[in-house]
Amino acid sequence: MEKQKAFRADVHIRTAYPLPRWTRVSGRPTQEVYGLIAQAVAAKDSSLHMIGVEVEGMVACPCAQDMVHSFARVRLQEEGFPEDVIEKMLGITPLATHNQRGRATLMIGTDANLDASDLIDIAESAMSSENYGLLKRPDELYIVNKAHANPRFVEDVAREILRAVVEKYTDLPDDAFVWVRQHNEETIHKYDVEAEGWGTLGELRAEILNNARIERHTTKEEWLGLMGSAR
């Protein structure tokens, strides 16, 4: 900014971030590669920055699963099974639904030092299941069962990431900023689905912890621009 005599400089950085992992059932060592991202904005007398991660996982659709549940109930009734047996069968059997590959982006604006591994865990845990580059057949069964026991809409994943950030980072100030985007690659539709959520931690705390009605959340552009010029 100084060399170019500019009023503002905006820098984006993205890199691969490999972490060792072990498959959940077979215990095979593997390495999963996540995205590590950062953005910094500098003005004449101030600078702000955000750091974040890009995480891939698996998402199972609740809507289709609910329809499969209703269909299975009717078919079991037609076959003459008692209601108590039907309830037990539907309660213990994973029910089919269509799946999506979810891609979560989580960024936090703060001067505090944050561990990227913690951000990865938050984003990955918000989806129906984690996924892996290496899986043996017992691991595939585990992942499929886990995902179908935890179906979520795209907006559910975004909300869960925001909730987890609020609950984990209780020591961050209210003016810290959080931005989340969840992009699900559809399988049965010709289009993908996406949800976003954002706001200062103060706004999100009031909404999530106190059930307050927030008419409008601070946007990422406002936080980077207006707060930068105010400091």
Side-chain angles (χ1 to χ4, degrees):
M1 186 188 70
E2 292 174 353
K3 289 181 179 180
Q4 299 298 323
K5 295 182 173 56
F7 291 103
R8 172 185 171 123
D10 193 343
V11 178
H12 297 256
I13 297 175
R14 174 178 279 102
T15 187
Y17 187 62
L19 288 176
R21 292 287 192 250
W22 288 263
T23 53
R24 297 302 296 268
V25 179
S26 62
R28 299 293 183 92
T30 182
Q31 187 181 71
E32 299 302 322
V33 180
Y34 302 93
L36 186 61
I37 53 179
Q39 181 178 2
V41 175
K44 182 178 180 180
D45 300 316
S46 64
S47 64
L48 290 170
H49 65 268
M50 302 179 68
I51 64 166
V53 294
E54 294 175 326
V55 178
E56 183 179 296
M58 177 179 174
V59 183
C61 176
C63 184
Q65 190 178 68
D66 184 63
M67 290 188 290
V68 170
H69 185 279
S70 299
F71 176 79
R73 177 182 293 279
V74 171
R75 288 292 295 117
L76 291 169
Q77 289 171 340
E78 291 173 348
E79 292 296 324
F81 287 95
E83 285 297 325
D84 60 332
V85 175
I86 292 175
E87 287 296 329
K88 186 174 183 179
M89 293 171 67
L90 294 177
I92 64 175
T93 305
L95 295 174
T97 188
H98 72 97
N99 306 132
Q100 303 153 329
R101 178 177 289 180
R103 301 181 186 276
T105 304
L106 166 61
M107 297 193 76
I108 298 181
T110 177
D111 290 332
N113 291 324
L114 303 180
D115 191 329
S117 298
D118 292 336
L119 301 181
I120 289 171
D121 289 341
I122 288 174
E124 198 169 51
S125 299
M127 289 183 252
S128 297
S129 175
E130 72 277 17
N131 60 4
Y132 296 87
L134 169 67
L135 285 175
K136 305 302 287 184
R137 294 187 69 179
D139 304 306
E140 293 180 0
L141 176 62
Y142 172 86
I143 293 299
V144 170
N145 281 336
K146 179 180 179 180
H148 285 73
N150 188 34
R152 284 181 173 167
F153 292 111
V154 63
E155 61 268 29
D156 294 331
V157 179
R159 292 192 191 103
E160 181 62 21
I161 294 174
L162 292 173
R163 182 200 61 79
V165 169
V166 167
E167 292 185 353
K168 180 172 181 59
Y169 296 109
T170 57
D171 56 331
L172 292 184
D174 281 345
D175 64 354
F177 186 80
V178 184
W179 180 75
V180 171
R181 180 176 63 200
Q182 176 69 19
H183 181 94
N184 286 356
E185 297 179 351
E186 275 284 1
T187 52
I188 65 172
H189 301 293
K190 294 293 188 181
Y191 52 82
D192 295 340
V193 291
E194 191 169 286
E196 292 187 23
W198 60 80
T200 65
L201 262 180
E203 295 165 348
L204 296 173
R205 284 166 175 155
E207 190 173 50
I208 295 172
L209 300 180
N210 302 324
N211 201 30
R213 180 178 178 83
I214 306 298
E215 294 295 335
R216 184 178 181 279
H217 292 76
T218 303
T219 67
K220 183 171 68 169
E221 292 75 17
E222 289 171 337
W223 189 84
L224 287 169
L226 297 182
M227 288 190 67
S229 60
R231 288 189 178 184

